[in-house]
Amino acid sequence: MIGTVFRSEDVPAEHRFDYWRDLVHRAIAPSDITSEHAGDFWAEQRLLELGPVMVWPTSFLPARFLRTEKMVRQCDPELYHLSLVLGGGMGLDHVGRTELYGPRDLWVTDTAEPYDVRPPDSGGRHLVTGVAVDFPKALLPLSPDRVRDVLGRRLSGREGTGSLLTEFLIGLDRQSASLQPSDAPRLGSVLLDLLSAWFAHVTDMEDTLPPETRHRAMTAHIRAFIRQNLHDPGLTPPVIAAAHHISLSYLHRLFQEQAPGAGEGGGGGETVAAWIRRLRLESARRDLADPALHAVPIHTVAARWGLPRASDFARAFRTAYGLTPKEYRLQALSPPEQTE
């Protein structure tokens, strides 16, 4: 697993808020963190260190984060901070803008400027959930003046590059327990490419990105599209290329040059068709091992994942895993043998 995990119930009640506050300070610029619920606090949080990028999925009772001008003068780590709200809401005052943020909203702050992040109202115990990202400003290939145009704005994580960035961050959280420290540098690079593409999009500066950054961001976008459409047996390389307004040869070149993103397995150089086939087989194998789906016919499981021909599925499954789908399901769902 990458990083560390904090759960408030693992800490004595009287120390929970202080412990959580110290953990947050490891990720963000110094700020004054307070909460009306400090005496009975609850939070869960991960810190994922992906090279120079810190990602921290979190859930917590309402709290306020105040970074004053004095704090800025005393210490500026020269970071941009991105927040993705998934549940609840937060308010922000930053660079003269005041906004309220709800689920699937994104916002950006600059540690060189004061900010006030606060609950939208007082007295409630509604959890705030989301994912935050902190990364050095020097790693973003855009001028600070252009980035300043988006600071404090309520930006959407529901469509386009914003949706892709949102799903990547959610995926990091879901898969963090199975990720290894060796994955961290690559995942940090992928995330920086997505952040660069997203910033360039919201600032209308996409043409200024280095070609390799645009290529990697396009590859991530295509992989997300494939995952969302695995159920469609008509999902083929020509269809994918047409959906993204690129040539078939360019699609194949992207896959040959780029390694997959978070949790996708495999390495660079895998063909588009091979990657689709592997994802479908992995998804079907997961469903076959699910006790809740034991009564679903094998051919139905395969068809769910875009593999409607039972004979083709059985042959490909056995080639990949050394067992027929029926044999695998029986083995996966059999109770463990009892030992004396």
Side-chain angles (χ1 to χ4, degrees), residues 13 39 50 73 111-112 117 125 137 147 150 168 179 184 201 206 216 233 255 268 297 304 309 328-329 333:
L50 309 180
R73 290 194 299 270
T111 59
V117 182
R125 285 181 63 86
K137 293 190 285 188
V147 176
V150 305
F168 186 87
L179 297 173
H201 174 72
E206 291 169 295
R216 288 192 293 261
F255 267 68
R304 275 182 178 174
R309 294 175 60 89
Y328 177 80
R329 173 179 262 181
L333 298 182

mmCIF file with all atom_site columns, all heavy atoms in Angstrom, residues 13 39 50 73 111-112 117 125 137 147 150 168 179 184 201 206 216 233 255 268 297 304 309 328-329 333:
data_model
loop_
_atom_site.group_PDB
_atom_site.id
_atom_site.type_symbol
_atom_site.label_atom_id
_atom_site.label_alt_id
_atom_site.label_comp_id
_atom_site.label_asym_id
_atom_site.label_entity_id
_atom_site.label_seq_id
_atom_site.pdbx_PDB_ins_code
_atom_site.Cartn_x
_atom_site.Cartn_y
_atom_site.Cartn_z
_atom_site.occupancy
_atom_site.B_iso_or_equiv
_atom_site.pdbx_formal_charge
_atom_site.auth_seq_id
_atom_site.auth_comp_id
_atom_site.auth_asym_id
_atom_site.auth_atom_id
_atom_site.pdbx_PDB_model_num
ATOM 1   N N   . ALA A 1 13  ? -10.489 9.275   22.142  1.00 0.00 ? 13  ALA A N   1
ATOM 2   C CA  . ALA A 1 13  ? -11.402 10.347  21.728  1.00 0.00 ? 13  ALA A CA  1
ATOM 3   C C   . ALA A 1 13  ? -10.826 11.734  21.979  1.00 0.00 ? 13  ALA A C   1
ATOM 4   O O   . ALA A 1 13  ? -10.980 12.638  21.146  1.00 0.00 ? 13  ALA A O   1
ATOM 5   C CB  . ALA A 1 13  ? -12.743 10.190  22.450  1.00 0.00 ? 13  ALA A CB  1
ATOM 6   N N   . GLY A 1 39  ? -14.305 18.102  20.112  1.00 0.00 ? 39  GLY A N   1
ATOM 7   C CA  . GLY A 1 39  ? -14.409 17.263  21.295  1.00 0.00 ? 39  GLY A CA  1
ATOM 8   C C   . GLY A 1 39  ? -14.954 15.887  21.018  1.00 0.00 ? 39  GLY A C   1
ATOM 9   O O   . GLY A 1 39  ? -14.816 14.974  21.846  1.00 0.00 ? 39  GLY A O   1
ATOM 10  N N   . LEU A 1 50  ? 2.736   10.201  -4.077  1.00 0.00 ? 50  LEU A N   1
ATOM 11  C CA  . LEU A 1 50  ? 3.019   9.773   -5.450  1.00 0.00 ? 50  LEU A CA  1
ATOM 12  C C   . LEU A 1 50  ? 4.142   10.635  -6.010  1.00 0.00 ? 50  LEU A C   1
ATOM 13  O O   . LEU A 1 50  ? 3.910   11.573  -6.773  1.00 0.00 ? 50  LEU A O   1
ATOM 14  C CB  . LEU A 1 50  ? 1.762   9.884   -6.318  1.00 0.00 ? 50  LEU A CB  1
ATOM 15  C CG  . LEU A 1 50  ? 0.500   9.220   -5.756  1.00 0.00 ? 50  LEU A CG  1
ATOM 16  C CD1 . LEU A 1 50  ? -0.669  9.414   -6.721  1.00 0.00 ? 50  LEU A CD1 1
ATOM 17  C CD2 . LEU A 1 50  ? 0.738   7.750   -5.460  1.00 0.00 ? 50  LEU A CD2 1
ATOM 18  N N   . ARG A 1 73  ? 3.427   34.685  4.782   1.00 0.00 ? 73  ARG A N   1
ATOM 19  C CA  . ARG A 1 73  ? 4.752   35.302  4.897   1.00 0.00 ? 73  ARG A CA  1
ATOM 20  C C   . ARG A 1 73  ? 5.735   34.382  5.622   1.00 0.00 ? 73  ARG A C   1
ATOM 21  O O   . ARG A 1 73  ? 6.915   34.329  5.269   1.00 0.00 ? 73  ARG A O   1
ATOM 22  C CB  . ARG A 1 73  ? 4.647   36.637  5.635   1.00 0.00 ? 73  ARG A CB  1
ATOM 23  C CG  . ARG A 1 73  ? 3.945   37.743  4.847   1.00 0.00 ? 73  ARG A CG  1
ATOM 24  C CD  . ARG A 1 73  ? 4.187   39.101  5.481   1.00 0.00 ? 73  ARG A CD  1
ATOM 25  N NE  . ARG A 1 73  ? 3.674   39.161  6.845   1.00 0.00 ? 73  ARG A NE  1
ATOM 26  C CZ  . ARG A 1 73  ? 2.442   39.532  7.179   1.00 0.00 ? 73  ARG A CZ  1
ATOM 27  N NH1 . ARG A 1 73  ? 1.576   39.879  6.222   1.00 0.00 ? 73  ARG A NH1 1
ATOM 28  N NH2 . ARG A 1 73  ? 2.059   39.572  8.429   1.00 0.00 ? 73  ARG A NH2 1
ATOM 29  N N   . THR A 1 111 ? -0.907  28.357  -2.401  1.00 0.00 ? 111 THR A N   1
ATOM 30  C CA  . THR A 1 111 ? -0.391  28.561  -1.044  1.00 0.00 ? 111 THR A CA  1
ATOM 31  C C   . THR A 1 111 ? 0.240   29.932  -0.857  1.00 0.00 ? 111 THR A C   1
ATOM 32  O O   . THR A 1 111 ? 0.517   30.334  0.274   1.00 0.00 ? 111 THR A O   1
ATOM 33  C CB  . THR A 1 111 ? 0.650   27.483  -0.690  1.00 0.00 ? 111 THR A CB  1
ATOM 34  O OG1 . THR A 1 111 ? 1.737   27.526  -1.641  1.00 0.00 ? 111 THR A OG1 1
ATOM 35  C CG2 . THR A 1 111 ? 0.011   26.100  -0.703  1.00 0.00 ? 111 THR A CG2 1
ATOM 36  N N   . ALA A 1 112 ? 0.475   30.673  -1.951  1.00 0.00 ? 112 ALA A N   1
ATOM 37  C CA  . ALA A 1 112 ? 1.037   32.018  -1.844  1.00 0.00 ? 112 ALA A CA  1
ATOM 38  C C   . ALA A 1 112 ? -0.025  33.054  -1.510  1.00 0.00 ? 112 ALA A C   1
ATOM 39  O O   . ALA A 1 112 ? 0.292   34.237  -1.366  1.00 0.00 ? 112 ALA A O   1
ATOM 40  C CB  . ALA A 1 112 ? 1.742   32.407  -3.136  1.00 0.00 ? 112 ALA A CB  1
ATOM 41  N N   . VAL A 1 117 ? -11.318 28.156  4.079   1.00 0.00 ? 117 VAL A N   1
ATOM 42  C CA  . VAL A 1 117 ? -12.181 27.052  3.687   1.00 0.00 ? 117 VAL A CA  1
ATOM 43  C C   . VAL A 1 117 ? -13.028 26.703  4.902   1.00 0.00 ? 117 VAL A C   1
ATOM 44  O O   . VAL A 1 117 ? -12.496 26.427  5.972   1.00 0.00 ? 117 VAL A O   1
ATOM 45  C CB  . VAL A 1 117 ? -11.357 25.818  3.238   1.00 0.00 ? 117 VAL A CB  1
ATOM 46  C CG1 . VAL A 1 117 ? -12.277 24.698  2.800   1.00 0.00 ? 117 VAL A CG1 1
ATOM 47  C CG2 . VAL A 1 117 ? -10.393 26.197  2.127   1.00 0.00 ? 117 VAL A CG2 1
ATOM 48  N N   . ARG A 1 125 ? -23.688 17.993  11.660  1.00 0.00 ? 125 ARG A N   1
ATOM 49  C CA  . ARG A 1 125 ? -22.649 16.973  11.721  1.00 0.00 ? 125 ARG A CA  1
ATOM 50  C C   . ARG A 1 125 ? -22.620 16.176  10.419  1.00 0.00 ? 125 ARG A C   1
ATOM 51  O O   . ARG A 1 125 ? -22.340 14.980  10.405  1.00 0.00 ? 125 ARG A O   1
ATOM 52  C CB  . ARG A 1 125 ? -22.892 16.024  12.913  1.00 0.00 ? 125 ARG A CB  1
ATOM 53  C CG  . ARG A 1 125 ? -22.540 16.645  14.255  1.00 0.00 ? 125 ARG A CG  1
ATOM 54  C CD  . ARG A 1 125 ? -22.787 15.656  15.391  1.00 0.00 ? 125 ARG A CD  1
ATOM 55  N NE  . ARG A 1 125 ? -21.946 14.475  15.310  1.00 0.00 ? 125 ARG A NE  1
ATOM 56  C CZ  . ARG A 1 125 ? -20.715 14.375  15.807  1.00 0.00 ? 125 ARG A CZ  1
ATOM 57  N NH1 . ARG A 1 125 ? -20.151 15.425  16.414  1.00 0.00 ? 125 ARG A NH1 1
ATOM 58  N NH2 . ARG A 1 125 ? -20.026 13.252  15.709  1.00 0.00 ? 125 ARG A NH2 1
ATOM 59  N N   . LYS A 1 137 ? 3.980   23.999  -7.741  1.00 0.00 ? 137 LYS A N   1
ATOM 60  C CA  . LYS A 1 137 ? 3.563   24.856  -8.850  1.00 0.00 ? 137 LYS A CA  1
ATOM 61  C C   . LYS A 1 137 ? 4.524   24.769  -10.031 1.00 0.00 ? 137 LYS A C   1
ATOM 62  O O   . LYS A 1 137 ? 4.102   24.884  -11.183 1.00 0.00 ? 137 LYS A O   1
ATOM 63  C CB  . LYS A 1 137 ? 3.444   26.308  -8.365  1.00 0.00 ? 137 LYS A CB  1
ATOM 64  C CG  . LYS A 1 137 ? 2.325   26.531  -7.365  1.00 0.00 ? 137 LYS A CG  1
ATOM 65  C CD  . LYS A 1 137 ? 2.075   28.003  -7.099  1.00 0.00 ? 137 LYS A CD  1
ATOM 66  C CE  . LYS A 1 137 ? 3.115   28.619  -6.233  1.00 0.00 ? 137 LYS A CE  1
ATOM 67  N NZ  . LYS A 1 137 ? 2.761   30.004  -5.819  1.00 0.00 ? 137 LYS A NZ  1
ATOM 68  N N   . VAL A 1 147 ? -3.072  30.515  -14.431 1.00 0.00 ? 147 VAL A N   1
ATOM 69  C CA  . VAL A 1 147 ? -3.658  29.697  -13.366 1.00 0.00 ? 147 VAL A CA  1
ATOM 70  C C   . VAL A 1 147 ? -4.450  30.562  -12.405 1.00 0.00 ? 147 VAL A C   1
ATOM 71  O O   . VAL A 1 147 ? -5.498  30.140  -11.884 1.00 0.00 ? 147 VAL A O   1
ATOM 72  C CB  . VAL A 1 147 ? -2.553  28.917  -12.621 1.00 0.00 ? 147 VAL A CB  1
ATOM 73  C CG1 . VAL A 1 147 ? -3.146  28.142  -11.440 1.00 0.00 ? 147 VAL A CG1 1
ATOM 74  C CG2 . VAL A 1 147 ? -1.855  27.959  -13.577 1.00 0.00 ? 147 VAL A CG2 1
ATOM 75  N N   . VAL A 1 150 ? -8.245  30.798  -12.544 1.00 0.00 ? 150 VAL A N   1
ATOM 76  C CA  . VAL A 1 150 ? -9.157  29.744  -12.084 1.00 0.00 ? 150 VAL A CA  1
ATOM 77  C C   . VAL A 1 150 ? -9.155  29.587  -10.570 1.00 0.00 ? 150 VAL A C   1
ATOM 78  O O   . VAL A 1 150 ? -9.952  28.816  -10.031 1.00 0.00 ? 150 VAL A O   1
ATOM 79  C CB  . VAL A 1 150 ? -8.815  28.392  -12.745 1.00 0.00 ? 150 VAL A CB  1
ATOM 80  C CG1 . VAL A 1 150 ? -8.815  28.512  -14.245 1.00 0.00 ? 150 VAL A CG1 1
ATOM 81  C CG2 . VAL A 1 150 ? -7.492  27.837  -12.248 1.00 0.00 ? 150 VAL A CG2 1
ATOM 82  N N   . PHE A 1 168 ? -10.210 9.435   -12.053 1.00 0.00 ? 168 PHE A N   1
ATOM 83  C CA  . PHE A 1 168 ? -8.866  8.959   -11.717 1.00 0.00 ? 168 PHE A CA  1
ATOM 84  C C   . PHE A 1 168 ? -8.625  9.084   -10.217 1.00 0.00 ? 168 PHE A C   1
ATOM 85  O O   . PHE A 1 168 ? -8.098  8.162   -9.582  1.00 0.00 ? 168 PHE A O   1
ATOM 86  C CB  . PHE A 1 168 ? -7.821  9.749   -12.494 1.00 0.00 ? 168 PHE A CB  1
ATOM 87  C CG  . PHE A 1 168 ? -6.417  9.234   -12.314 1.00 0.00 ? 168 PHE A CG  1
ATOM 88  C CD1 . PHE A 1 168 ? -5.930  8.218   -13.118 1.00 0.00 ? 168 PHE A CD1 1
ATOM 89  C CD2 . PHE A 1 168 ? -5.584  9.760   -11.339 1.00 0.00 ? 168 PHE A CD2 1
ATOM 90  C CE1 . PHE A 1 168 ? -4.638  7.736   -12.957 1.00 0.00 ? 168 PHE A CE1 1
ATOM 91  C CE2 . PHE A 1 168 ? -4.299  9.279   -11.169 1.00 0.00 ? 168 PHE A CE2 1
ATOM 92  C CZ  . PHE A 1 168 ? -3.817  8.268   -11.978 1.00 0.00 ? 168 PHE A CZ  1
ATOM 93  N N   . LEU A 1 179 ? -2.206  -0.926  -4.210  1.00 0.00 ? 179 LEU A N   1
ATOM 94  C CA  . LEU A 1 179 ? -1.083  -0.296  -4.904  1.00 0.00 ? 179 LEU A CA  1
ATOM 95  C C   . LEU A 1 179 ? 0.200   -0.461  -4.100  1.00 0.00 ? 179 LEU A C   1
ATOM 96  O O   . LEU A 1 179 ? 0.179   -0.478  -2.859  1.00 0.00 ? 179 LEU A O   1
ATOM 97  C CB  . LEU A 1 179 ? -1.364  1.188   -5.134  1.00 0.00 ? 179 LEU A CB  1
ATOM 98  C CG  . LEU A 1 179 ? -2.561  1.503   -6.029  1.00 0.00 ? 179 LEU A CG  1
ATOM 99  C CD1 . LEU A 1 179 ? -2.827  3.004   -6.043  1.00 0.00 ? 179 LEU A CD1 1
ATOM 100 C CD2 . LEU A 1 179 ? -2.322  0.996   -7.445  1.00 0.00 ? 179 LEU A CD2 1
ATOM 101 N N   . ALA A 1 184 ? 4.115   4.291   -7.220  1.00 0.00 ? 184 ALA A N   1
ATOM 102 C CA  . ALA A 1 184 ? 3.912   5.707   -6.909  1.00 0.00 ? 184 ALA A CA  1
ATOM 103 C C   . ALA A 1 184 ? 4.476   6.669   -7.953  1.00 0.00 ? 184 ALA A C   1
ATOM 104 O O   . ALA A 1 184 ? 3.768   7.584   -8.391  1.00 0.00 ? 184 ALA A O   1
ATOM 105 C CB  . ALA A 1 184 ? 4.486   6.016   -5.523  1.00 0.00 ? 184 ALA A CB  1
ATOM 106 N N   . HIS A 1 201 ? -7.239  23.046  -20.204 1.00 0.00 ? 201 HIS A N   1
ATOM 107 C CA  . HIS A 1 201 ? -8.603  23.132  -20.739 1.00 0.00 ? 201 HIS A CA  1
ATOM 108 C C   . HIS A 1 201 ? -9.366  24.296  -20.114 1.00 0.00 ? 201 HIS A C   1
ATOM 109 O O   . HIS A 1 201 ? -9.995  25.097  -20.833 1.00 0.00 ? 201 HIS A O   1
ATOM 110 C CB  . HIS A 1 201 ? -9.336  21.825  -20.485 1.00 0.00 ? 201 HIS A CB  1
ATOM 111 C CG  . HIS A 1 201 ? -10.785 21.858  -20.867 1.00 0.00 ? 201 HIS A CG  1
ATOM 112 N ND1 . HIS A 1 201 ? -11.214 21.875  -22.182 1.00 0.00 ? 201 HIS A ND1 1
ATOM 113 C CD2 . HIS A 1 201 ? -11.911 21.917  -20.098 1.00 0.00 ? 201 HIS A CD2 1
ATOM 114 C CE1 . HIS A 1 201 ? -12.532 21.933  -22.210 1.00 0.00 ? 201 HIS A CE1 1
ATOM 115 N NE2 . HIS A 1 201 ? -12.976 21.958  -20.966 1.00 0.00 ? 201 HIS A NE2 1
ATOM 116 N N   . GLU A 1 206 ? -4.703  24.807  -24.078 1.00 0.00 ? 206 GLU A N   1
ATOM 117 C CA  . GLU A 1 206 ? -4.339  23.434  -24.432 1.00 0.00 ? 206 GLU A CA  1
ATOM 118 C C   . GLU A 1 206 ? -3.209  23.377  -25.455 1.00 0.00 ? 206 GLU A C   1
ATOM 119 O O   . GLU A 1 206 ? -2.403  22.446  -25.449 1.00 0.00 ? 206 GLU A O   1
ATOM 120 C CB  . GLU A 1 206 ? -5.568  22.684  -24.935 1.00 0.00 ? 206 GLU A CB  1
ATOM 121 C CG  . GLU A 1 206 ? -6.587  22.426  -23.827 1.00 0.00 ? 206 GLU A CG  1
ATOM 122 C CD  . GLU A 1 206 ? -7.915  21.924  -24.360 1.00 0.00 ? 206 GLU A CD  1
ATOM 123 O OE1 . GLU A 1 206 ? -8.587  22.688  -25.080 1.00 0.00 ? 206 GLU A OE1 1
ATOM 124 O OE2 . GLU A 1 206 ? -8.269  20.779  -24.040 1.00 0.00 ? 206 GLU A OE2 1
ATOM 125 N N   . ARG A 1 216 ? -0.218  11.713  -23.397 1.00 0.00 ? 216 ARG A N   1
ATOM 126 C CA  . ARG A 1 216 ? -0.522  10.900  -22.218 1.00 0.00 ? 216 ARG A CA  1
ATOM 127 C C   . ARG A 1 216 ? -1.923  11.186  -21.703 1.00 0.00 ? 216 ARG A C   1
ATOM 128 O O   . ARG A 1 216 ? -2.639  10.276  -21.264 1.00 0.00 ? 216 ARG A O   1
ATOM 129 C CB  . ARG A 1 216 ? 0.532   11.139  -21.132 1.00 0.00 ? 216 ARG A CB  1
ATOM 130 C CG  . ARG A 1 216 ? 1.890   10.523  -21.449 1.00 0.00 ? 216 ARG A CG  1
ATOM 131 C CD  . ARG A 1 216 ? 2.794   10.526  -20.231 1.00 0.00 ? 216 ARG A CD  1
ATOM 132 N NE  . ARG A 1 216 ? 3.173   11.879  -19.831 1.00 0.00 ? 216 ARG A NE  1
ATOM 133 C CZ  . ARG A 1 216 ? 4.323   12.449  -20.139 1.00 0.00 ? 216 ARG A CZ  1
ATOM 134 N NH1 . ARG A 1 216 ? 5.219   11.798  -20.878 1.00 0.00 ? 216 ARG A NH1 1
ATOM 135 N NH2 . ARG A 1 216 ? 4.595   13.669  -19.715 1.00 0.00 ? 216 ARG A NH2 1
ATOM 136 N N   . PRO A 1 233 ? -20.313 -5.086  -27.113 1.00 0.00 ? 233 PRO A N   1
ATOM 137 C CA  . PRO A 1 233 ? -19.494 -5.963  -27.960 1.00 0.00 ? 233 PRO A CA  1
ATOM 138 C C   . PRO A 1 233 ? -18.999 -5.274  -29.223 1.00 0.00 ? 233 PRO A C   1
ATOM 139 O O   . PRO A 1 233 ? -18.068 -5.760  -29.877 1.00 0.00 ? 233 PRO A O   1
ATOM 140 C CB  . PRO A 1 233 ? -20.449 -7.123  -28.290 1.00 0.00 ? 233 PRO A CB  1
ATOM 141 C CG  . PRO A 1 233 ? -21.817 -6.574  -28.085 1.00 0.00 ? 233 PRO A CG  1
ATOM 142 C CD  . PRO A 1 233 ? -21.695 -5.561  -26.997 1.00 0.00 ? 233 PRO A CD  1
ATOM 143 N N   . PHE A 1 255 ? -1.153  3.599   -27.657 1.00 0.00 ? 255 PHE A N   1
ATOM 144 C CA  . PHE A 1 255 ? -1.108  2.443   -26.763 1.00 0.00 ? 255 PHE A CA  1
ATOM 145 C C   . PHE A 1 255 ? 0.270   1.788   -26.753 1.00 0.00 ? 255 PHE A C   1
ATOM 146 O O   . PHE A 1 255 ? 0.697   1.262   -25.728 1.00 0.00 ? 255 PHE A O   1
ATOM 147 C CB  . PHE A 1 255 ? -2.178  1.420   -27.163 1.00 0.00 ? 255 PHE A CB  1
ATOM 148 C CG  . PHE A 1 255 ? -3.465  1.611   -26.417 1.00 0.00 ? 255 PHE A CG  1
ATOM 149 C CD1 . PHE A 1 255 ? -4.249  2.725   -26.641 1.00 0.00 ? 255 PHE A CD1 1
ATOM 150 C CD2 . PHE A 1 255 ? -3.887  0.685   -25.483 1.00 0.00 ? 255 PHE A CD2 1
ATOM 151 C CE1 . PHE A 1 255 ? -5.428  2.920   -25.951 1.00 0.00 ? 255 PHE A CE1 1
ATOM 152 C CE2 . PHE A 1 255 ? -5.068  0.868   -24.786 1.00 0.00 ? 255 PHE A CE2 1
ATOM 153 C CZ  . PHE A 1 255 ? -5.843  1.991   -25.019 1.00 0.00 ? 255 PHE A CZ  1
ATOM 154 N N   . GLY A 1 268 ? 3.492   -0.938  -21.060 1.00 0.00 ? 268 GLY A N   1
ATOM 155 C CA  . GLY A 1 268 ? 3.410   -0.268  -22.335 1.00 0.00 ? 268 GLY A CA  1
ATOM 156 C C   . GLY A 1 268 ? 3.558   -1.263  -23.477 1.00 0.00 ? 268 GLY A C   1
ATOM 157 O O   . GLY A 1 268 ? 4.153   -2.320  -23.339 1.00 0.00 ? 268 GLY A O   1
ATOM 158 N N   . PRO A 1 297 ? -26.128 -17.264 -14.916 1.00 0.00 ? 297 PRO A N   1
ATOM 159 C CA  . PRO A 1 297 ? -25.470 -18.169 -15.871 1.00 0.00 ? 297 PRO A CA  1
ATOM 160 C C   . PRO A 1 297 ? -24.155 -17.600 -16.378 1.00 0.00 ? 297 PRO A C   1
ATOM 161 O O   . PRO A 1 297 ? -24.000 -16.378 -16.537 1.00 0.00 ? 297 PRO A O   1
ATOM 162 C CB  . PRO A 1 297 ? -26.494 -18.291 -17.004 1.00 0.00 ? 297 PRO A CB  1
ATOM 163 C CG  . PRO A 1 297 ? -27.809 -17.967 -16.360 1.00 0.00 ? 297 PRO A CG  1
ATOM 164 C CD  . PRO A 1 297 ? -27.507 -16.947 -15.311 1.00 0.00 ? 297 PRO A CD  1
ATOM 165 N N   . ARG A 1 304 ? -22.378 -9.694  -20.259 1.00 0.00 ? 304 ARG A N   1
ATOM 166 C CA  . ARG A 1 304 ? -22.344 -8.409  -19.539 1.00 0.00 ? 304 ARG A CA  1
ATOM 167 C C   . ARG A 1 304 ? -21.080 -7.627  -19.843 1.00 0.00 ? 304 ARG A C   1
ATOM 168 O O   . ARG A 1 304 ? -21.064 -6.404  -19.769 1.00 0.00 ? 304 ARG A O   1
ATOM 169 C CB  . ARG A 1 304 ? -22.393 -8.659  -18.026 1.00 0.00 ? 304 ARG A CB  1
ATOM 170 C CG  . ARG A 1 304 ? -23.762 -8.835  -17.445 1.00 0.00 ? 304 ARG A CG  1
ATOM 171 C CD  . ARG A 1 304 ? -23.624 -9.028  -15.955 1.00 0.00 ? 304 ARG A CD  1
ATOM 172 N NE  . ARG A 1 304 ? -24.917 -9.154  -15.293 1.00 0.00 ? 304 ARG A NE  1
ATOM 173 C CZ  . ARG A 1 304 ? -25.071 -9.441  -14.012 1.00 0.00 ? 304 ARG A CZ  1
ATOM 174 N NH1 . ARG A 1 304 ? -23.998 -9.628  -13.254 1.00 0.00 ? 304 ARG A NH1 1
ATOM 175 N NH2 . ARG A 1 304 ? -26.268 -9.538  -13.479 1.00 0.00 ? 304 ARG A NH2 1
ATOM 176 N N   . ARG A 1 309 ? -20.336 -14.444 -27.349 1.00 0.00 ? 309 ARG A N   1
ATOM 177 C CA  . ARG A 1 309 ? -20.170 -15.798 -27.891 1.00 0.00 ? 309 ARG A CA  1
ATOM 178 C C   . ARG A 1 309 ? -19.566 -16.702 -26.823 1.00 0.00 ? 309 ARG A C   1
ATOM 179 O O   . ARG A 1 309 ? -18.386 -16.575 -26.467 1.00 0.00 ? 309 ARG A O   1
ATOM 180 C CB  . ARG A 1 309 ? -19.296 -15.773 -29.142 1.00 0.00 ? 309 ARG A CB  1
ATOM 181 C CG  . ARG A 1 309 ? -19.939 -15.034 -30.320 1.00 0.00 ? 309 ARG A CG  1
ATOM 182 C CD  . ARG A 1 309 ? -18.977 -14.939 -31.492 1.00 0.00 ? 309 ARG A CD  1
ATOM 183 N NE  . ARG A 1 309 ? -18.569 -16.256 -31.964 1.00 0.00 ? 309 ARG A NE  1
ATOM 184 C CZ  . ARG A 1 309 ? -19.224 -16.955 -32.890 1.00 0.00 ? 309 ARG A CZ  1
ATOM 185 N NH1 . ARG A 1 309 ? -20.326 -16.452 -33.446 1.00 0.00 ? 309 ARG A NH1 1
ATOM 186 N NH2 . ARG A 1 309 ? -18.781 -18.135 -33.275 1.00 0.00 ? 309 ARG A NH2 1
ATOM 187 N N   . TYR A 1 328 ? -13.407 -22.644 -12.923 1.00 0.00 ? 328 TYR A N   1
ATOM 188 C CA  . TYR A 1 328 ? -12.952 -21.531 -12.086 1.00 0.00 ? 328 TYR A CA  1
ATOM 189 C C   . TYR A 1 328 ? -14.012 -21.143 -11.065 1.00 0.00 ? 328 TYR A C   1
ATOM 190 O O   . TYR A 1 328 ? -13.715 -20.934 -9.887  1.00 0.00 ? 328 TYR A O   1
ATOM 191 C CB  . TYR A 1 328 ? -12.591 -20.322 -12.948 1.00 0.00 ? 328 TYR A CB  1
ATOM 192 C CG  . TYR A 1 328 ? -12.177 -19.130 -12.120 1.00 0.00 ? 328 TYR A CG  1
ATOM 193 C CD1 . TYR A 1 328 ? -10.896 -19.042 -11.596 1.00 0.00 ? 328 TYR A CD1 1
ATOM 194 C CD2 . TYR A 1 328 ? -13.085 -18.116 -11.820 1.00 0.00 ? 328 TYR A CD2 1
ATOM 195 C CE1 . TYR A 1 328 ? -10.516 -17.968 -10.807 1.00 0.00 ? 328 TYR A CE1 1
ATOM 196 C CE2 . TYR A 1 328 ? -12.717 -17.041 -11.033 1.00 0.00 ? 328 TYR A CE2 1
ATOM 197 C CZ  . TYR A 1 328 ? -11.432 -16.968 -10.526 1.00 0.00 ? 328 TYR A CZ  1
ATOM 198 O OH  . TYR A 1 328 ? -11.058 -15.911 -9.737  1.00 0.00 ? 328 TYR A OH  1
ATOM 199 N N   . ARG A 1 329 ? -15.277 -21.045 -11.498 1.00 0.00 ? 329 ARG A N   1
ATOM 200 C CA  . ARG A 1 329 ? -16.349 -20.670 -10.578 1.00 0.00 ? 329 ARG A CA  1
ATOM 201 C C   . ARG A 1 329 ? -16.486 -21.701 -9.458  1.00 0.00 ? 329 ARG A C   1
ATOM 202 O O   . ARG A 1 329 ? -16.618 -21.330 -8.278  1.00 0.00 ? 329 ARG A O   1
ATOM 203 C CB  . ARG A 1 329 ? -17.668 -20.518 -11.330 1.00 0.00 ? 329 ARG A CB  1
ATOM 204 C CG  . ARG A 1 329 ? -18.860 -20.302 -10.421 1.00 0.00 ? 329 ARG A CG  1
ATOM 205 C CD  . ARG A 1 329 ? -20.141 -20.123 -11.211 1.00 0.00 ? 329 ARG A CD  1
ATOM 206 N NE  . ARG A 1 329 ? -20.471 -18.710 -11.359 1.00 0.00 ? 329 ARG A NE  1
ATOM 207 C CZ  . ARG A 1 329 ? -21.553 -18.269 -11.997 1.00 0.00 ? 329 ARG A CZ  1
ATOM 208 N NH1 . ARG A 1 329 ? -22.382 -19.129 -12.574 1.00 0.00 ? 329 ARG A NH1 1
ATOM 209 N NH2 . ARG A 1 329 ? -21.796 -16.976 -12.068 1.00 0.00 ? 329 ARG A NH2 1
ATOM 210 N N   . LEU A 1 333 ? -15.825 -20.647 -5.565  1.00 0.00 ? 333 LEU A N   1
ATOM 211 C CA  . LEU A 1 333 ? -16.959 -20.611 -4.637  1.00 0.00 ? 333 LEU A CA  1
ATOM 212 C C   . LEU A 1 333 ? -17.010 -21.803 -3.696  1.00 0.00 ? 333 LEU A C   1
ATOM 213 O O   . LEU A 1 333 ? -17.891 -21.876 -2.841  1.00 0.00 ? 333 LEU A O   1
ATOM 214 C CB  . LEU A 1 333 ? -18.271 -20.520 -5.434  1.00 0.00 ? 333 LEU A CB  1
ATOM 215 C CG  . LEU A 1 333 ? -18.440 -19.278 -6.309  1.00 0.00 ? 333 LEU A CG  1
ATOM 216 C CD1 . LEU A 1 333 ? -19.785 -19.288 -7.006  1.00 0.00 ? 333 LEU A CD1 1
ATOM 217 C CD2 . LEU A 1 333 ? -18.282 -18.006 -5.484  1.00 0.00 ? 333 LEU A CD2 1
#
